[in-house]
Amino acid sequence: MKDLNVIESNNNIIEINSLTKKYRKKIALDDISIQIPKGKIVGLLGPNGSGKTTLMKVLSGVICNYQGEVFINKKEIGVETKKIVSYLPDKPYFAKWMRPVDVIKIFKDFYKDFKEDKMMSMLDSLGVDTKQKIVTMSKGMIERLQLSLVMSRDALLYVLDEPLGGVDPATRDYILDTIIKNYNPEGTVLISTHLIEDVEKVFDSVIFIKQGKIVLFEEVDEIREKYNKSVDELFREEFKCF
Amino acid sequence: MFLKLVKTDFKYHSRSFFMVVMSVLLANILMLSSKGLVLSLKESESLKIVKTFLIAIAVMFLIIAVFGTIVMITKVFNNKCVSSESYLTYSLPVKRYYHIWSNLIISTVWSVIILVLSGLSAMLWIYVWSGKDSLVNWIRDIQKMFFSDGFSTFSCIFTSICGVFSGLFLIYLCISVVNTSVLKHRPLMMGVLAYIVIFYFQNKVISEFLKFCQNYFDLDCLEHTMAVNFLISGSVCIVFGIIYYILLLHTINKKLEVD
């Protein structure tokens, strides 16, 4: 299982070569190389502190002090890649004074691929008042709002960091449904999560990351065929605590 | 894109600075109220106490406004560029240095607005308590000291702008540096400490440089001596500002660790 099975394709949305990221002496990403093709829903799976969030921060351009090469759609991380990457961090990024209408304005101003009508219909289904202060909303509502913003873009790459973390099962279903219904079919979705059982049905392929190294990258169907196990079972086996 | 960023940031800043402007207005209302009380009521011991109290509160509000401006500038940059809000900031498709310049422009505008409002308040208070003649004399003194001729006016404005720019770059640099992985423990304390140390060093360099330059200038009047000193201080501020900016850019691009 340790043999890295890289899905080779000339049609890659993400190409990473020898990426290393350190926080002081701690190595968060350890010389990883991977190519992820376009048009897939990919699960980024690993225990806490394995480097999932760091990898997502690198892809979104939030952190840029790393070694190695990272390309998105053949471009180095920068302004051009940010135009095509829609990033959902694992925490809210709204200022205290903001209302949904303020963030919508920012997205409308900065992202050409932002679809306001899509956003408004998502907010309608959520029952969110666009003039309500975000700080007064519940945690689940804030997460759904942030997800709606991210999924209202016709991006080529969606980077979703723990979109299902800390929400009840009903909200989890809503979030998954929102992702499936709204992502750009030509784009790629990279989702990090611990709740594999709930989401493995939507993954085309999965990446297992452990102590900053990629230990597996395979298509979900191949995993089932090769190991005769579900992704969840394989994950539990690989990351078993002794 | 830069203009859109400035527009967005202006909206962000205006909310934070609203309280500062309100503080200046409140100071003026209190000052006028105290004068109103003096005019409408008979002189008494209790009136004196109330008047003194109102003036003290008004002065306090004005001081709060001036320091509040610095606090707000720090807070806005900290929130936008190093806190969780920076996830939104840095995922916007703009170059990182745009954020620095956008914040710098708006902070400068707000600093100037608060300075002008404070200056006008000071004039109003002198007029209210000491009369028109005192105000005219005060304005004349200020004009003589800083704006007696074109050279003095230029050096005064030049130094103010250079001082504000280098000061803001220094604030941004301190905030950024304490949010790198090396210095990320107790960022507030480290930031304030870094600011005090660097600011002290900058002032020391300016004063030493002024002493050195005095050997080469033999000016006959006080106004021109001051103007030349201003010009020299402003020039040294430019050098420091450039150094701060280069370090800030390097920190933001290469060293900053967003939580």
Side-chain angles (χ1 to χ4, degrees):
Chain A
M1 194 161 94
K2 299 278 174 191
D3 292 331
L4 187 64
N5 182 7
V6 175
I7 298 172
E8 293 288 352
S9 167
N10 290 326
N11 199 25
N12 294 325
I13 183 75
I14 299 172
E15 287 181 38
I16 298 172
N17 303 317
S18 307
L19 172 64
T20 300
K21 166 69 189 163
K22 289 177 190 167
Y23 293 109
R24 302 184 86 182
K25 285 175 186 169
K26 189 184 180 298
I27 299 173
L29 296 173
D30 191 2
D31 194 30
I32 65 169
S33 298
I34 193 168
Q35 288 90 44
I36 299 174
K38 286 179 182 169
K40 301 269 181 185
I41 300 182
V42 183
L44 181 62
L45 314 173
N48 289 333
S50 56
K52 301 187 298 289
T53 297
T54 303
L55 179 58
M56 292 196 151
K57 281 188 192 175
V58 169
L59 293 171
S60 63
V62 169
I63 49 175
C64 41
N65 48 340
Y66 54 81
Q67 285 98 51
E69 291 176 320
V70 183
F71 298 97
I72 293 174
N73 210 24
K74 313 276 178 215
K75 286 171 190 149
E76 266 190 83
I77 304 286
V79 175
E80 289 309 309
T81 62
K82 287 175 187 179
K83 286 179 186 171
I84 54 167
V85 175
S86 195
Y87 172 52
L88 178 80
D90 60 347
K91 57 182 86 174
Y93 51 41
F94 306 113
K96 281 180 186 164
W97 56 268
M98 276 180 174
R99 300 162 301 159
V101 70
D102 299 310
V103 206
I104 291 169
K105 184 84 182 47
I106 293 175
F107 269 66
K108 227 167 87 179
D109 279 349
F110 288 94
Y111 299 113
K112 280 183 187 161
D113 58 8
F114 180 71
K115 305 284 176 237
E116 196 182 1
D117 46 347
K118 206 177 185 182
M119 178 70 196
M120 294 318 277
S121 77
M122 275 194 251
L123 289 185
D124 273 350
S125 71
L126 277 174
V128 171
D129 175 8
T130 53
K131 299 208 170 145
Q132 185 188 351
K133 275 198 172 182
I134 295 170
V135 76
T136 63
M137 294 176 180
S138 68
K139 186 176 180 271
M141 191 63 92
I142 293 173
E143 290 196 0
R144 279 180 276 182
L145 169 68
Q146 197 154 294
L147 181 75
S148 304
L149 280 163
V150 169
M151 298 313 298
S152 295
R153 289 183 57 197
D154 276 346
L156 282 181
L157 176 63
Y158 298 88
V159 178
L160 313 178
D161 194 1
E162 295 285 355
L164 309 172
V167 291
D168 58 78
T171 310
R172 232 176 269 165
D173 288 343
Y174 174 87
I175 288 172
L176 267 182
D177 201 41
T178 306
I179 296 169
I180 302 301
K181 276 185 186 159
N182 293 286
Y183 85 99
N184 174 9
E186 288 167 19
T188 301
V189 186
L190 185 64
I191 307 174
S192 80
T193 185
H194 294 108
L195 304 157
I196 304 158
E197 205 177 357
D198 289 354
V199 281
E200 72 166 280
K201 59 181 182 285
V202 305
F203 292 149
D204 294 313
S205 44
V206 291
I207 298 167
F208 282 6
I209 185 166
K210 191 179 185 180
Q211 292 170 347
K213 284 182 183 289
I214 287 168
V215 291
L216 176 113
F217 178 27
E218 280 198 19
E219 301 250 359
V220 171
D221 291 343
E222 275 179 35
I223 289 176
R224 287 188 189 124
E225 213 172 281
K226 206 163 150 185
Y227 304 103
N228 201 21
K229 282 174 186 153
S230 69
V231 176
D232 189 42
E233 286 167 337
L234 189 68
F235 181 86
R236 283 170 199 271
E237 194 180 289
E238 176 65 25
F239 297 102
K240 196 157 47 183
C241 297
F242 294 99
Chain B
M1 272 307 186
F2 182 67
L3 287 178
K4 279 181 185 169
L5 190 65
V6 172
K7 199 180 80 181
T8 309
D9 283 350
F10 189 79
K11 198 174 174 188
Y12 194 113
H13 279 71
S14 60
R15 285 168 195 276
S16 305
F17 281 94
F18 177 73
M19 296 305 288
V20 179
V21 175
M22 281 296 115
S23 186
V24 178
L25 291 178
L26 203 60
N28 284 300
I29 291 167
L30 286 168
M31 195 57 89
L32 292 175
S33 307
S34 65
K35 181 66 181 177
L37 278 177
V38 170
L39 290 175
S40 58
L41 298 171
K42 278 184 187 170
E43 187 77 21
S44 69
E45 202 54 41
S46 54
L47 180 66
K48 266 186 193 168
I49 293 169
V50 172
K51 186 188 92 176
T52 313
F53 178 72
L54 285 176
I55 291 173
I57 298 282
V59 172
M60 199 183 77
F61 271 111
L62 200 62
I63 293 169
I64 286 174
V66 173
F67 281 99
T69 307
I70 300 166
V71 171
M72 285 304 164
I73 286 168
T74 311
K75 198 171 158 248
V76 169
F77 187 81
N78 185 71
N79 287 351
K80 281 184 66 74
C81 294
V82 298
S83 76
S84 61
E85 288 171 37
S86 62
Y87 282 91
L88 179 61
T89 305
Y90 295 131
S91 52
L92 293 176
V94 293
K95 290 190 165 68
R96 286 201 171 200
Y97 68 82
Y98 279 14
H99 295 293
I100 299 172
W101 284 101
S102 170
N103 273 290
L104 184 87
I105 289 168
I106 298 158
S107 298
T108 307
V109 168
W110 276 109
S111 302
V112 169
I113 289 172
I114 301 299
L115 272 176
V116 169
L117 282 177
S118 303
L120 290 174
S121 302
M123 283 164 73
L124 179 72
W125 297 2
I126 291 167
Y127 177 73
V128 165
W129 288 107
S130 308
K132 195 181 166 188
D133 291 342
S134 296
L135 178 63
V136 171
N137 287 337
W138 185 74
I139 292 171
R140 210 170 280 159
D141 286 345
I142 295 279
Q143 192 194 6
K144 200 176 160 196
M145 196 71 87
F146 303 109
F147 308 105
S148 57
D149 54 32
F151 178 56
S152 301
T153 309
F154 169 75
S155 65
C156 186
I157 292 170
F158 170 77
T159 308
S160 305
I161 292 170
C162 297
V164 169
F165 271 41
S166 71
L168 289 173
F169 279 144
L170 179 55
I171 289 174
Y172 297 163
L173 177 65
C174 291
I175 294 169
S176 307
V177 163
V178 295
N179 280 285
T180 58
S181 59
V182 187
L183 289 168
K184 216 165 179 173
H185 303 287
R186 301 184 182 184
L188 182 66
M189 199 185 78
M190 294 297 284
V192 172
L193 198 69
Y195 184 86
I196 292 169
V197 170
I198 301 172
F199 189 69
Y200 174 79
F201 175 72
Q202 180 186 319
N203 282 347
K204 194 82 186 152
V205 170
I206 290 173
S207 65
E208 289 300 319
F209 199 65
L210 282 174
K211 272 185 209 162
F212 172 77
C213 291
Q214 268 163 10
N215 301 326
Y216 297 93
F217 294 104
D218 186 22
L219 298 167
D220 46 357
C221 67
L222 177 68
E223 288 80 30
H224 280 170
T225 310
M226 276 189 72
V228 168
N229 285 350
F230 272 144
L231 216 53
I232 293 167
S233 307
S235 307
V236 179
C237 280
I238 288 183
V239 176
F240 273 98
I242 291 169
I243 295 168
Y244 298 151
Y245 179 67
I246 292 168
L247 291 173
L248 174 62
L249 215 53
H250 177 72
T251 311
I252 291 258
N253 282 329
K254 302 281 175 199
K255 300 282 177 197
L256 193 69
E257 298 291 356
V258 175
D259 272 329

